[in-house]
Amino acid sequence: MKRRYTFLLILWVIALATSFGQEESLIADTTVVSDSILIHEVGLIPESLDANIDSLLHTWHVKYFTKPNEYCHDDEENVFFPDSIYIARLKRLPRVIPMTYNNVVRDCIDLYAERKRSLVKYMLGMADFYFPIIEQVLDEHRLPLELKYLAVVESALNPVALSRVGACGLWQFMLPTGKMYGLEINSLIDERRDPLKATHAACKYFEDMYQIYGDWNLVLASYNCGPGNVNKAIRRAGGKTDFWDIFPYLPRETRSYVPLFIAANYIMNYYCEHNICPMENTLPLATDTVMINNSLHLQQVAEILHLDMEELRALNPQYKRDIIPGNTGPCVLKLPAAETYAFVDKTDTVYLHKAEELLANCIETTPGPDSRRPASREKVVHIVLSGENLYTIANRYGVTAKDIKKWNGLSSTRVSRGKRLVLYVDNGGVSFASAKTSAKQNSVKSDGTSEITASSGSKKAASVSTNLPQNTLAKASSTKKDMLSYVVKSGDSLYSIAKKYPGVTTDDLVKANRLSSPSIRPGQVLKIPRG
């Protein structure tokens, strides 16, 4: 009997050794870290993962261009796999950045594959459009192509994502960092929302951080929390420079950052194995660009070229108010490839179409003293609307919450509805006035700052006004006018309707009907002030 137990023990040892040898060859290039790092130590997850997927799928850049995939088997149930399968799959991924596997990474994979399945479906659909753009830029900078999955962690591939603290775009740049890396951010343009330019800026950041650390995991950590916090964690870890050694000393959200990056690499490649079907993205994959050298509204382009306005916005998300300020410098307009020739053929028609109506409140600012360039800084009074905070207001005008606090002597980022805030904004050389604003012309100050006095604005737009010529200001009336009614017909515009009534302007129509934009629809009933 004793001999029998000895024989069985020998067989068990041989089997264990064989199994260990197979596992060792399996993970030769995939590091496995001790399971002592538990998921509860990771802490916070990025806002992109915490977002309401139903809300995301109804945003303007998505709802017209994604639909369920009819040819893919979808299942709400995740598929369980042993650790060895995850290790083998991570090993097979072509990569330069190490793909460590441990319980933290496993839990992050489960987060994507179970609780965030709907978000993964959306990201897979949008990846068809955004990944080729990102990959091209990464290749130009000779950086690892797997860095594209960092945009999954940062923004869930939402180009207009705005965090609670003001980080914006696919790569979630804060405003000062974005400007530091060459992105233009003002009240009309936010290049953090431009996938191409923002990716170039992100690549420059990666290059700078890799020069410092020479380790991609530390580069990723610094992207999330900044090099200062990474250096502090290295010091607290006794000089160790491996991410998993400094893991306990990093900010809570940064601890989840590298594991989520590895999990994103996994789930975006092995989604089929987890019965996840991508949403189909119907954004045009073939696009081209034209240079714009005059002020142009996206609606002018959409109506003359018969394009969907939402599609134009999705292709050009950097233009915050649908206005391309090409008169201050060349700007890019991205179009479906087939429409670029049509735009070139009809350029003059596009620029003239409804220009008086759509661009009446968007003019080049008056040149400053002793300068041929237009003044680009102006004083704006913003009246806080319900639900706004300093971060959302700062993003609207291309300034920082810290600046707004300083200009207004505030001690908190919370502001009450109706409060008047003074801002000094960079308008890119173009002043934009809300059509529901009354303003008086002010001279340019000796420092080149144009001062604006604004009154009440619409519910959807802040109250902004500028030093406009008198013929662009809304007519003021101290007496109440009688109103006529007009039912909007197909092909009508505010400009064409105003021409039917002597003494009535488009601004009068906007004011009388409390419109937040010049867009109208057939069947809509408008009030017409008597001339």
Side-chain angles (χ1 to χ4, degrees):
M1 182 67 71
K2 187 174 181 181
R3 182 180 295 177
R4 181 182 177 186
Y5 282 127
T6 303
F7 178 70
L8 290 175
L9 180 62
I10 292 171
L11 286 179
W12 180 79
V13 171
I14 292 172
L16 181 63
T18 304
S19 173
F20 178 77
Q22 291 172 344
E23 188 79 356
E24 185 177 32
S25 64
L26 186 68
I27 64 173
D29 194 33
T30 303
T31 307
V32 179
V33 174
S34 169
D35 291 341
S36 61
I37 300 174
L38 302 176
I39 189 60
H40 72 268
E41 295 177 349
V42 172
L44 304 174
I45 63 172
E47 284 185 46
S48 60
L49 271 173
D50 208 18
N52 183 318
I53 185 61
D54 292 330
S55 175
L56 176 65
L57 292 177
H58 285 84
T59 53
W60 59 262
H61 81 286
V62 175
K63 62 182 178 179
Y64 294 94
F65 311 116
T66 54
K67 60 181 181 179
N69 192 319
E70 300 174 3
Y71 307 102
C72 178
H73 170 69
D74 200 359
D75 194 334
E76 292 304 315
E77 293 295 324
N78 187 25
V79 182
F80 173 82
F81 296 104
D83 289 343
S84 59
I85 297 297
Y86 288 119
I87 293 169
R89 288 174 179 171
L90 286 172
K91 179 187 175 183
R92 288 197 294 268
L93 292 178
R95 77 245 184 270
V96 172
I97 302 174
M99 296 294 163
T100 300
Y101 182 80
N102 55 37
N103 275 0
V104 179
V105 174
R106 170 66 183 255
D107 286 337
C108 288
I109 292 173
D110 289 344
L111 179 64
Y112 280 122
E114 292 180 4
R115 290 172 16 218
K116 298 297 179 180
R117 294 173 68 84
S118 296
L119 183 62
V120 173
K121 294 176 190 178
Y122 155 76
M123 294 190 297
L124 288 166
M126 300 310 286
D128 289 339
F129 182 78
Y130 291 113
F131 274 1
I133 298 171
I134 296 172
E135 287 172 349
Q136 180 181 346
V137 178
L138 288 169
D139 189 56
E140 286 178 26
H141 288 261
R142 299 183 180 181
L143 293 172
L145 294 188
E146 59 266 33
L147 284 170
K148 66 188 177 187
Y149 296 113
L150 195 62
V152 169
V153 180
E154 283 289 346
S155 64
L157 295 181
N158 178 359
V160 295
L162 178 66
S163 78
R164 288 185 289 267
V165 295
C168 185
L170 283 179
W171 296 99
Q172 289 291 281
F173 275 106
M174 294 295 288
L175 188 143
T177 309
K179 288 192 172 184
M180 183 189 306
Y181 281 89
L183 298 178
E184 182 177 359
I185 306 167
N186 54 52
S187 57
L188 290 181
I189 297 178
D190 191 341
E191 289 183 344
R192 293 177 297 174
R193 295 163 48 153
D194 182 325
L196 184 64
K197 291 189 176 181
T199 302
H200 274 292
C203 287
K204 293 175 185 175
Y205 186 96
F206 297 147
E207 291 168 340
D208 288 347
M209 292 301 104
Y210 194 76
Q211 286 289 324
I212 295 172
Y213 296 112
D215 180 287
W216 282 114
N217 281 338
L218 296 186
V219 170
L220 297 176
S222 70
Y223 194 89
N224 179 256
C225 67
N229 282 315
V230 172
N231 294 340
K232 185 189 298 182
I234 290 172
R235 289 195 301 270
R236 293 178 64 189
K240 296 177 181 177
T241 57
D242 181 83
F243 173 81
W244 299 101
D245 287 332
I246 69 171
F247 179 94
Y249 307 105
L250 289 166
R252 290 181 65 206
E253 184 176 329
T254 308
R255 295 178 205 167
S256 68
Y257 201 67
V258 170
L260 282 170
F261 169 75
I262 296 169
N265 274 264
Y266 174 89
I267 201 66
M268 297 295 280
N269 284 281
Y270 294 108
Y271 54 90
C272 280
E273 285 78 355
H274 291 267
N275 292 338
I276 298 176
C277 274
M279 296 189 75
E280 289 188 353
N281 171 29
T282 56
L283 279 169
L285 299 182
T287 61
D288 206 345
T289 57
V290 293
M291 298 306 297
I292 304 300
N293 296 299
N294 292 292
S295 293
L296 186 67
H297 198 288
L298 292 183
Q299 190 173 328
Q300 294 174 279
V301 181
E303 292 183 4
I304 295 299
L305 301 187
H306 306 291
L307 294 173
D308 189 293
M309 186 67 173
E310 304 297 339
E311 180 177 280
L312 272 183
R313 285 174 174 157
L315 294 177
N316 301 275
Q318 67 269 37
Y319 300 117
K320 296 159 69 173
R321 303 191 186 189
D322 297 338
I323 293 171
I324 305 175
N327 58 320
T328 64
C331 294
V332 170
L333 171 65
K334 180 174 284 190
L335 296 168
E339 306 301 330
T340 53
Y341 295 106
F343 180 88
V344 172
D345 289 340
K346 300 177 181 180
T347 298
D348 292 339
T349 304
V350 173
Y351 280 125
L352 292 173
H353 178 67
K354 293 186 181 179
E356 181 182 345
E357 173 186 334
L358 296 172
L359 299 171
N361 298 305
C362 180
I363 64 168
E364 188 170 347
T365 52
T366 307
D370 303 320
S371 174
R372 295 183 180 180
R373 298 184 64 187
S376 63
R377 193 170 183 223
E378 57 190 358
K379 180 180 177 182
V380 170
V381 177
H382 176 92
I383 300 177
V384 179
L385 305 178
S386 178
E388 286 187 325
N389 59 42
L390 290 196
Y391 294 112
T392 57
I393 297 169
N395 182 70
R396 176 180 175 81
Y397 293 102
V399 297
T400 66
K402 182 179 179 181
D403 285 337
I404 299 177
K405 288 171 65 177
K406 177 182 175 183
W407 293 329
N408 295 274
L410 303 175
S411 57
S412 169
T413 56
R414 299 180 64 181
V415 282
S416 58
R417 178 183 177 183
K419 184 175 179 60
R420 298 170 67 87
L421 297 175
V422 174
L423 297 85
Y424 297 91
V425 306
D426 177 0
N427 59 27
V430 173
S431 292
F432 179 85
S434 169
K436 292 190 65 180
T437 300
S438 63
K440 63 180 181 179
Q441 186 171 357
N442 294 298
S443 59
V444 178
K445 295 183 177 182
S446 59
D447 62 359
T449 301
S450 59
E451 185 173 347
I452 303 168
T453 305
S455 63
S456 61
S458 69
K459 291 183 179 179
K460 289 187 178 179
S463 124
V464 183
S465 58
T466 185
N467 50 327
L468 299 173
Q470 289 297 320
N471 61 0
T472 67
L473 299 179
K475 287 190 174 182
S477 176
S478 58
T479 60
K480 184 176 181 180
K481 298 179 180 178
D482 294 330
M483 297 287 180
L484 300 174
S485 294
Y486 179 87
V487 179
V488 178
K489 302 177 179 63
S490 179
D492 275 343
S493 67
L494 291 185
Y495 180 68
S496 63
I497 295 171
K499 287 180 68 176
K500 297 178 182 180
Y501 299 91
V504 176
T505 68
T506 56
D507 284 345
D508 289 335
L509 295 179
V510 169
K511 185 175 181 180
N513 293 275
R514 299 185 178 181
L515 301 176
S516 59
S517 76
S519 300
I520 52 177
R521 64 184 183 280
Q524 183 177 355
V525 179
L526 296 179
K527 297 176 183 178
I528 311 294
R530 291 185 185 273

